[in-house]
Amino acid sequence: HGYAAYETLAKGRDRPLRLAHCWSHVRRMFLDAEPDTPQASEVRELIAALYRIEAKARDPAERRALREAESKPLVDEIHKWLLAQRALPQSSLGKALAYTAALWPGLVRFLDDPAIPLDNNASERALRGVVLGRKNHYGSKSLRGTEVAALFYSLLESAKLAGLEPAAYLAEATRRAI
């Protein structure tokens, strides 16, 4: 279930990490189960409703209130749906149910903290460039070229995280470096 390294990181620390798991990954598991088990669309629709609730929030205080009033009852409904299902363990639905059950404590963690997003899609998108760069530069004959590419990836991703337009940020960084 999930990426095992997170569980390892959470254990054996002075201050234990509290893992928050990704509803997008859960949704994908049920989407994959739909061709074999059409009722999987029921829970996928419930998860979609969670995202619609999140889209209404404009600030953390409003997100907290919406989560208490609307998301919590919906999560309870999802949980009841999950518990009512029966499936063979190795079926696509069985695997989706087991995956969701194993991650449940981290899936509901967002209800208590408005800073916790429903998914980690933004983090995964931010890492995509690094992963592609690693694949593109694997076996590169120029260590310096690989280092320069890594520097540019860092600058561009930093600009994005700071809410700046990457090309303008890079142009300004270049002007200041001269």
Side-chain angles (χ1 to χ4, degrees):
H1 73 274
Y3 184 48
Y6 295 139
E7 295 291 337
T8 302
L9 284 171
K11 293 178 183 171
R13 298 173 49 94
D14 293 337
R15 289 183 47 203
L17 296 174
R18 293 178 42 216
L19 298 179
H21 292 292
C22 177
W23 279 98
S24 180
H25 288 108
V26 169
R27 180 194 166 279
R28 195 172 308 130
M29 295 284 293
F30 286 101
L31 182 64
D32 291 345
E34 274 185 53
D36 303 324
T37 317
Q39 77 257 31
S41 66
E42 296 170 17
V43 76
R44 194 178 49 75
E45 287 299 322
L46 293 172
I47 294 169
L50 277 179
Y51 279 89
R52 287 191 296 274
I53 293 166
E54 287 293 301
K56 294 190 292 187
R58 292 182 299 269
D59 60 52
E62 186 175 13
R63 186 174 300 111
R64 182 181 298 279
L66 281 168
R67 286 179 175 180
E68 183 63 33
E70 298 180 35
S71 297
K72 180 150 182 17
L74 187 56
V75 167
D76 291 342
E77 187 177 345
I78 291 170
H79 196 238
K80 285 179 197 169
W81 185 92
L82 294 168
L83 293 174
Q85 303 309 303
R86 297 292 172 254
L88 294 172
Q90 292 305 309
S91 69
S92 56
L93 180 61
K95 289 177 182 178
L97 292 168
Y99 179 83
T100 307
L103 299 180
W104 192 254
L107 287 170
V108 298
R109 187 142 293 129
F110 81 99
L111 292 169
D112 298 324
D113 186 343
I116 297 174
L118 283 181
D119 58 45
N120 65 349
N121 291 345
S123 299
E124 289 186 1
R125 277 191 301 276
L127 290 172
R128 185 168 289 143
V130 174
V131 172
L132 288 175
R134 183 178 59 221
K135 288 180 179 179
N136 290 337
H137 297 292
Y138 181 74
S140 174
K141 294 184 181 188
S142 168
L143 176 61
R144 181 69 183 140
T146 302
E147 290 170 344
V148 169
L151 173 69
F152 278 101
Y153 286 138
S154 295
L155 287 171
L156 293 173
E157 290 304 320
S158 295
K160 290 177 192 176
L161 288 172
L164 303 172
E165 200 280 312
Y169 180 78
L170 194 56
E172 183 63 25
T174 303
R175 276 193 291 281
R176 290 184 184 203
I178 295 177

